[in-house]
Amino acid sequence: MAGAPRRRRSSFHLPPAQGLESNVSFSTLKPLTLALAVTVALTACQQAQTPAVTERQAAPAAPAVDLANLKTPVVSFAAADLDPTVPACADLNAHVNGKWLAANPVPADRTTWGSFELLAERSLEIQRQLVEHMAADPGATGVAKMIGDVWATGMDEAAINAAGLAPIQPMLEEIAALSGPGDIAAYLRRSTAQGRMMLFGFGPEADFQNPGMNIAYATQAGLGLPDKTYYFDDRHAGIREAYLQHIGNILVLTGIEEAQAREMAKAVMEFETRLAKVSLSREELSRDVSKYYNPVSVAQADAITPNFPWSAFFESQGIAAPEMFSLAMPDFHAELSRMIADVPVATWQAYLRYQTVDGAAPYLADAFAEENFNFYGKVLRGQEEMQPRWKRVLNAINGQMGEALGQEYVKVAFPPESKARMQALVGNLGEALKVRLENLEWMGEETKAKALEKWAAFTPKIGYPDKWRDWSGLATSRDSYVGNLMAAIEFNYRWNLSKIGQPVDRSEWAMSPQTVNAYYNPLQNEIVFPAAILQPPFFDPNADDALNYGGIGAVIGHEMIHGYDDQGSRFDAKGSFSNWWTDKDRQGFEERTGKLIAQFDAYESIDGLHVNGKLTLGENIADLGGLAVAYDAMKRAQGEGFSDPMVEGFSQDQRFFMNWATVWRRNFKPEELKVRLQTDPHAPANFRAIGAPSNLPAFAEAFGCSDGDAMVRSEADRVHIW
């Protein structure tokens, strides 16, 4: 969730999930030695699950949770929030959200604030009550004991401060003992075996050509700034200077003398800049998923990286060398191999020392956590204050034991009737999408048949997994916060390794039930809706159809359409990476998506910076198609002879579009917004509120808009894809 002091990517990640919204910060590509969040991968690198899974069974009653007195208000569309001075036809976002946004600035411990954050706050309040109960129970066993141990040690600020660097001192001593290229390669193998990856990500994912089986993937990593462009673009010169200062400050805190630390920081910056030159940018990775699939034999990989033999690496991880794995971004790995040989050992030691300490900093003594926050929170993202410790500890628990906590969360926060209502909505959205696919005028029958085959294979998942993971084997204690997190990281990594060469478990989830988000997984062709998002303004079992279809209905449609966006459309009904398009139809598709790129390129956000239409293309396709499908589904649900109730003087069509805008009610800190414009595959919320409706004639009809109004795109510019 946004607002953590230092959110690093996990030890392994494929492309960001094709989800509704980015729910982690974009502070860095650096994989963590002590990472919290498991980044959701293309098919969803599952949130650290263990091999054994138990069927959902009747569990002991969850502890009492006071849902009636949560401090965070429910988010919902209200006519009183509307700004009559800005017509909907001029700016739907300002009309619906302007008054609320003006009255609700971003809190000091956040970088964004709006509908998603308010729901996340409510979720955190519930989670806090749950974990406090677990930690206070002296007879707790199993998952409850583990979560209670992490919570208790994480909340013990005095013990954490007293420990200083002691929890990671053995790692620093190991780094200090390195003496040559062979030692460096061996250290990278050993640290990876503990789940502490620094220079590359490694883990299982479905084979692009055989999505029923997991293979190993090795990906790029190692950078401390949000994207490779931060190392070279003149606009980011100030950030580079601040980052250089931060590296030095971290090294000083470890006991390095000031002048030496500053020289070491320069070497670390040069090291990362060299890596950045051969790294792919966020835009390149987001808009060409094929970059992640480069199947090679171990012998072929060894030839690419002679100073880091993969034959030795697989042996060090305790897994059999496979016939094939994906060495993604081979140019990156080739350069890393050269760096093992030609970068001085002292520079390697400086880099590894910094990476290790900074990765652990949010969980160490206050001086380390505050320095980490000062750069990644305050300087880079504009966050004024650190979040309170209880939220930071919950973020850590969610990063390493999210599904375990979710098992308790759904007992108190997700009634069965919500799941039943959602299933009906998903079914209705699916039928509406089918009709749209059948009636596409620009697509030929051959491609259309494949599109419908993919539609028929969609798998929806709602609320929570049907099977819960088994955590037996993870040992925690009340001795050390960092020790507990390190144990969980290694435990989760070992489990992930156990997937390599095994069939994909289609029952697994990439997000915990308490996550306010949703996603589409192209390798499994599934759409997934965690319990926490199934609240107003997205979903309310007591609300009228207009609000539910304009909220969660559009979300359902959004995730379905991801199966047909610029990257999802490269996977077939079975999840295989294959071309099921005729050349003519693909050309027609790209002509239409090109118009959408141009539309979002034209949106100016802040300080002359524009939205990147190519980077955000997949999400914009999903918004446009998802909103159109949701509107059709609402009309389908209303049926023949529908009599509009005109709630608060507004028609159902108007309320549908106004609730869509309510979903995207969101303020940003300027610094956060600038980072997102560079790195986030989602456009800023205000443009999402207006982008899709401006292409839909139904919106203009609902509000009586005229040609020439800002929210009405001309016939030549109007985008219609799905």
Side-chain angles (χ1 to χ4, degrees):
M1 297 183 182
R6 176 71 157 108
R7 299 285 272 169
R8 298 170 182 256
R9 291 192 176 274
S10 71
S11 55
F12 173 66
H13 59 282
L14 285 184
Q18 298 174 345
L20 180 68
E21 174 54 25
S22 300
N23 72 324
V24 293
S25 69
F26 292 85
S27 57
T28 178
L29 283 174
K30 186 186 291 186
L32 167 56
T33 55
L34 293 171
L36 303 182
V38 173
T39 301
V40 178
L42 180 66
T43 74
C45 252
Q46 287 75 18
Q47 265 192 320
Q49 297 174 332
T50 49
V53 192
T54 56
E55 297 292 341
R56 169 173 277 280
Q57 299 172 349
V65 172
D66 186 359
L67 296 178
N69 293 305
L70 298 179
K71 297 177 182 178
T72 308
V74 173
V75 187
S76 60
F77 166 72
D81 287 339
L82 299 177
D83 185 351
T85 67
V86 183
C89 297
D91 185 337
L92 179 64
N93 181 66
H95 177 65
V96 174
N97 298 325
K99 289 171 62 178
W100 189 94
L101 294 171
N104 291 273
V106 179
D109 68 344
R110 289 273 189 175
T111 61
T112 66
W113 190 245
S115 297
F116 282 86
E117 288 74 19
L118 283 162
L119 287 185
E121 286 289 314
R122 288 179 64 83
S123 178
L124 285 174
E125 287 186 63
I126 297 169
Q127 293 170 50
R128 182 179 187 176
Q129 295 182 60
L130 290 169
V131 298
E132 285 178 340
H133 178 89
M134 296 177 196
D137 181 3
T141 59
V143 164
K145 177 192 179 298
M146 295 171 193
I147 292 175
D149 286 345
V150 177
W151 174 259
T153 53
M155 293 300 293
D156 192 347
E157 188 171 2
I160 292 170
N161 282 329
L165 273 177
I168 61 170
Q169 191 62 44
M171 304 174 200
L172 302 185
E173 293 172 358
E174 194 175 0
I175 291 168
L178 299 178
S179 61
D183 281 355
I184 293 167
Y187 177 79
L188 294 178
R189 290 193 292 267
R190 288 194 303 274
S191 60
T192 300
Q194 296 171 340
R196 300 184 296 109
M197 299 177 216
M198 301 191 193
L199 293 211
F200 60 89
F202 181 77
E205 193 48 272
D207 185 342
F208 277 26
Q209 296 299 330
N210 181 18
M213 292 294 294
N214 284 310
I215 62 169
Y217 287 76
T219 60
Q220 70 180 39
L223 305 183
L225 291 174
D227 186 62
K228 68 173 294 181
T229 55
Y230 276 74
Y231 292 85
F232 310 110
D233 195 317
D234 290 343
R235 291 179 301 173
H236 302 307
I239 295 294
R240 287 195 294 275
E241 287 299 316
Y243 182 51
L244 182 66
Q245 182 72 25
H246 166 67
I247 297 170
N249 292 349
I250 286 288
L251 293 171
V252 167
L253 287 174
T254 69
I256 304 295
E257 188 270 330
E258 177 84 24
Q260 182 184 1
R262 299 303 163 192
E263 289 304 310
M264 291 169 67
K266 292 178 184 178
V268 171
M269 191 67 172
E270 291 173 0
F271 184 102
E272 290 191 14
T273 301
R274 181 170 170 182
L275 277 181
K277 288 179 181 178
V278 293
S279 298
L280 297 179
S281 70
R282 291 293 185 93
E283 179 180 322
E284 291 171 314
L285 292 175
S286 295
R287 304 277 57 91
D288 187 359
V289 71
S290 68
K291 300 293 186 184
Y292 288 86
Y293 194 63
N294 180 47
V296 295
S297 67
V298 173
Q300 289 170 325
D302 284 352
I304 294 171
T305 62
N307 299 307
F308 190 80
W310 289 92
S311 48
F313 175 80
F314 280 102
E315 182 179 359
S316 71
Q317 305 309 292
I319 54 178
E323 293 184 6
M324 176 273 286
F325 75 106
S326 179
L327 187 68
M329 308 105 194
D331 291 345
F332 172 88
H333 292 283
E335 180 69 352
L336 178 57
S337 174
R338 288 188 286 269
M339 291 173 70
I340 289 173
D342 65 32
V343 170
V345 172
T347 297
W348 270 100
Q349 290 172 321
Y351 173 80
L352 295 172
R353 185 179 186 89
Y354 164 68
Q355 283 270 356
T356 299
V357 178
D358 200 41
Y363 324 110
L364 293 173
D366 288 345
F368 294 95
E370 288 166 4
E371 171 56 38
N372 180 276
F373 166 76
N374 284 338
F375 176 72
Y376 286 101
K378 191 173 291 185
V379 173
L380 189 62
R381 302 173 58 222
Q383 187 173 329
E384 298 170 28
E385 299 175 1
M386 292 178 70
Q387 287 194 328
R389 177 169 289 277
W390 71 268
K391 289 185 181 179
R392 288 182 275 142
V393 176
L394 273 180
N395 286 335
I397 291 171
N398 277 302
Q400 296 306 323
M401 306 178 73
E403 188 177 306
L405 180 53
Q407 186 171 351
E408 300 304 310
Y409 174 88
V410 298
K411 294 175 185 176
V412 299
F414 189 62
E417 55 268 25
S418 292
K419 185 164 188 173
R421 180 76 185 276
M422 269 293 294
Q423 289 169 332
L425 283 166
V426 169
N428 201 21
L429 266 292
E431 289 302 317
L433 174 57
K434 181 183 180 184
V435 171
R436 293 187 75 85
L437 293 174
E438 290 171 336
N439 290 290
L440 282 177
E441 296 180 355
W442 59 268
M443 180 177 281
E445 293 304 316
E446 180 181 347
T447 307
K448 189 178 294 185
K450 295 291 186 181
L452 288 167
E453 180 182 344
K454 185 167 189 176
W455 167 87
F458 274 132
T459 299
K461 295 180 176 179
I462 299 168
Y464 51 82
D466 292 329
K467 295 190 293 185
W468 296 112
R469 61 172 289 181
D470 174 14
W471 291 85
S472 57
L474 173 58
T476 58
S477 72
R478 296 292 172 103
D479 296 335
S480 169
Y481 182 42
V482 170
N484 283 333
L485 293 178
M486 290 173 61
I489 288 166
E490 182 172 357
F491 178 78
N492 294 333
Y493 176 67
R494 302 312 305 180
W495 178 78
N496 272 321
L497 290 188
S498 73
K499 298 181 185 179
I500 295 173
Q502 300 299 313
V504 170
D505 184 350
R506 295 177 64 92
S507 71
E508 291 173 352
W509 281 48
M511 290 179 181
S512 67
Q514 63 272 28
T515 302
V516 182
N517 213 329
Y519 68 92
Y520 170 74
N521 169 353
L523 284 164
Q524 303 306 318
N525 198 26
E526 63 185 8
I527 52 176
V528 186
F529 308 96
I533 200 172
L534 303 178
Q535 305 176 66
F538 297 97
F539 175 71
D540 182 349
N542 300 314
D544 58 304
D545 278 349
L547 297 190
N548 279 326
Y549 279 95
I552 199 65
V555 173
I556 296 167
H558 173 105
E559 302 307 339
M560 288 179 173
I561 293 297
H562 267 313
Y564 305 98
D565 71 15
D566 63 313
Q567 298 305 308
S569 63
R570 301 174 74 181
F571 294 81
D572 64 19
K574 296 180 180 179
S576 294
F577 187 66
S578 63
N579 181 18
W580 47 271
W581 296 68
T582 65
D583 291 343
K584 179 181 179 181
D585 289 337
R586 176 58 75 172
Q587 181 180 354
F589 175 74
E590 292 178 352
E591 288 173 356
R592 286 161 175 78
T593 59
K595 292 173 66 175
L596 195 59
I597 291 173
Q599 175 183 340
F600 279 82
D601 277 345
Y603 289 140
E604 182 176 341
S605 180
I606 183 174
D607 294 346
L609 298 175
H610 285 242
V611 178
N612 184 332
K614 186 174 181 181
L615 174 63
T616 60
L617 178 59
E619 300 300 328
N620 297 333
I621 293 171
D623 279 353
L624 176 58
L627 189 62
V629 170
Y631 180 81
D632 289 355
M634 181 182 71
K635 292 301 183 183
R636 175 187 178 86
Q638 289 170 347
E640 295 285 337
F642 172 72
S643 179
D644 198 322
M646 297 297 292
V647 180
E648 296 185 289
F650 296 103
S651 70
Q652 289 286 283
D653 284 15
Q654 289 172 326
R655 285 165 62 78
F656 170 88
F657 287 109
M658 288 191 291
N659 201 45
W660 163 259
T662 302
V663 165
W664 302 114
R665 174 179 290 176
R666 198 173 208 181
N667 274 316
F668 289 89
K669 287 289 189 181
E671 297 87 346
E672 172 75 8
L673 186 54
K674 291 176 182 178
V675 172
R676 288 184 177 242
L677 287 168
Q678 186 79 39
T679 62
D680 193 347
H682 305 79
N686 59 313
F687 299 118
R688 298 184 74 175
I690 66 174
S694 69
N695 284 297
L696 300 182
F699 169 80
E701 293 171 10
F703 290 94
C705 304
S706 303
D707 291 345
D709 286 339
M711 285 291 300
V712 180
R713 298 181 66 77
S714 69
E715 186 65 34
D717 293 333
R718 186 176 299 141
V719 184
H720 169 73
I721 305 173
W722 297 106

